[in-house]
Amino acid sequence: MRLLVIGGAGYVGSVTSAVLVEAGHDVTVVDDLSTGHRDAVPAGAAFRHADVLDQRQLGDVLRAVTEQGPIDAILHFAARSLVGESVAEPARYFRHNITTTANLLEAMRDHGIGTIVFSSTAACYGEPEATPITEDMPTVPTNPYGASKLAADQMLTFAAPAYGIAAVSLRYFNVAGAYGPQGERHEVETHLIPRLLDVAAGNAPEASVFGTDYPTPDGTAIRDYIHVRDLAEAHLLALTAAKKGEHLICNLGTGTGFSVYEVLEAVRKATGAEVPAAEKPRRAGDPARLVASAERAKTVLGWNPERTELAETVADAWAFYRR
């Protein structure tokens, strides 16, 4: 297929682009490089510098790419994604995450592009009352980031039958790990594993453990960590599972949770570093346990995560970090 990967110079987008190229697809990455990296675009993928918030820039890209042949599908990763920043800048998050999706949907309609795979998030669920989390549970996001992504999901639900397109939303839980030369390197890092690796590498004095009194076996919060390579494979499968006029929503996770202390110990083993950690009070809004049910993805997409061992995920992230 001929594919446009929007936001394909970022973490998940670049790994997915690499997997798509390896599978033999014709891939064009579109990114404004505001948070992505030009050198993360895999060899074998074309690159177009553009901001899809700007309809003119998006139109220029589509005209140039379609001159070489029709586009079969769009994979949409472009988003503002920092929860704390979204609380401080809600209008910016709604404008970016909703408008980019609206622009792409209109472009699909105008250019006859039949399929979109959207990078959604478990933040759509907010603080669920039970785990594992299934797709039919209430969506009550607790921050503007989750609310803006949910609004984009809802837009896809209405656009699929209206425009006759096939849409799939993949709601990620905690993405981690690396795949060869593609990995996680955010200017502002909020994810647990890379922050622990900063401490292991001597680039931060100590780690913070927020909350040690949760109703969990060791008192720290439990999260579902999914390897980024497995995540990319789900996008590849979604391209063929998507059905015209329908919007499919799938959670992506392993169904297994790891506590903060378990992740900390895995980082210590992988790096051989002490990784000092300071215990701090809980952060407001942090649930005790967030674990996905990925049964729908397994049944409908035929997806089965292969890299479910935390040690492997951390080792891959550390190997990338040292590069």
Side-chain angles (χ1 to χ4, degrees):
M1 289 184 278
R2 300 193 72 236
L3 307 172
L4 281 186
V5 182
I6 312 299
Y11 174 38
V12 179
S14 65
V15 173
T16 303
S17 295
V19 170
L20 294 170
V21 169
E22 289 170 5
H25 296 297
D26 183 332
V27 175
T28 298
V29 167
V30 181
D31 203 298
D32 67 358
L33 301 181
S34 59
T35 56
H37 305 273
R38 177 64 181 87
D39 62 349
V41 177
F47 176 72
R48 298 273 179 175
H49 187 281
D51 182 356
V52 296
L53 268 176
D54 186 325
Q55 288 182 309
R56 181 189 58 79
Q57 292 185 43
L58 177 59
D60 289 344
V61 166
L62 287 168
R63 282 188 290 274
V65 175
T66 54
E67 284 180 359
Q68 309 301 317
I71 299 166
D72 296 298
I74 287 176
L75 296 97
H76 176 20
F77 297 94
R80 306 298 307 180
S81 60
L82 298 176
V83 170
E85 183 182 65
S86 80
V87 173
E89 299 283 350
R92 182 186 188 194
Y93 270 66
F94 278 92
R95 180 173 60 250
H96 187 285
N97 293 347
I98 294 174
T99 305
T100 55
T101 307
N103 287 350
L104 288 168
L105 287 170
E106 290 179 337
M108 291 176 67
R109 178 196 60 196
D110 296 342
H111 290 268
I113 303 170
T115 300
I116 183 168
V117 179
F118 177 57
S119 170
S120 189
T121 173
C124 290
Y125 298 109
E127 299 181 33
E129 295 180 356
T131 58
I133 300 167
T134 62
E135 293 84 356
D136 58 0
M137 285 186 174
T139 47
V140 190
T142 56
N143 54 68
Y145 165 61
S148 66
K149 297 289 272 189
L150 177 59
D153 270 343
Q154 292 169 332
M155 198 186 316
L156 291 173
T157 296
F158 290 107
Y163 299 162
I165 63 174
V168 179
S169 290
L170 300 177
R171 288 181 177 165
Y172 313 164
F173 281 63
N174 291 53
V175 187
Y179 185 57
Q182 277 83 29
E184 194 166 10
R185 44 179 170 145
H186 301 120
E187 183 177 347
V188 178
E189 188 54 76
T190 61
H191 295 164
L192 177 61
I193 290 174
R195 291 183 71 172
L196 293 177
L197 294 179
D198 270 337
V199 179
N203 293 321
E206 66 179 13
S208 296
V209 178
F210 294 99
T212 58
D213 58 347
Y214 286 102
T216 60
D218 65 17
T220 63
I222 290 174
R223 297 293 182 265
D224 191 335
Y225 291 89
I226 176 175
H227 195 288
V228 67
R229 175 62 177 80
D230 285 328
L231 192 71
E233 181 67 22
H235 291 77
L236 183 63
L237 294 169
L239 288 169
T240 53
K243 295 183 179 180
K244 183 178 179 180
E246 297 182 11
H247 178 211
L248 171 67
I249 297 174
C250 291
N251 290 340
L252 296 182
T254 64
T256 300
F258 296 98
S259 73
V260 174
Y261 278 153
E262 287 176 317
V263 175
L264 176 60
E265 187 58 30
V267 169
R268 286 169 171 161
K269 288 182 178 179
T271 64
E274 180 180 352
V275 192
E279 296 181 357
K280 298 185 178 181
R282 296 187 193 185
R283 293 178 296 195
D286 270 356
R289 186 186 301 264
L290 289 176
V291 177
S293 168
E295 290 307 310
R296 181 180 292 177
K298 292 177 181 179
T299 301
V300 180
L301 304 183
W303 179 71
N304 282 291
E306 297 178 356
R307 300 159 183 82
T308 57
E309 294 297 326
L310 181 61
E312 179 182 5
T313 300
V314 171
D316 287 347
W318 179 234
F320 174 80
Y321 189 102
R322 288 187 296 172
R323 289 192 180 97

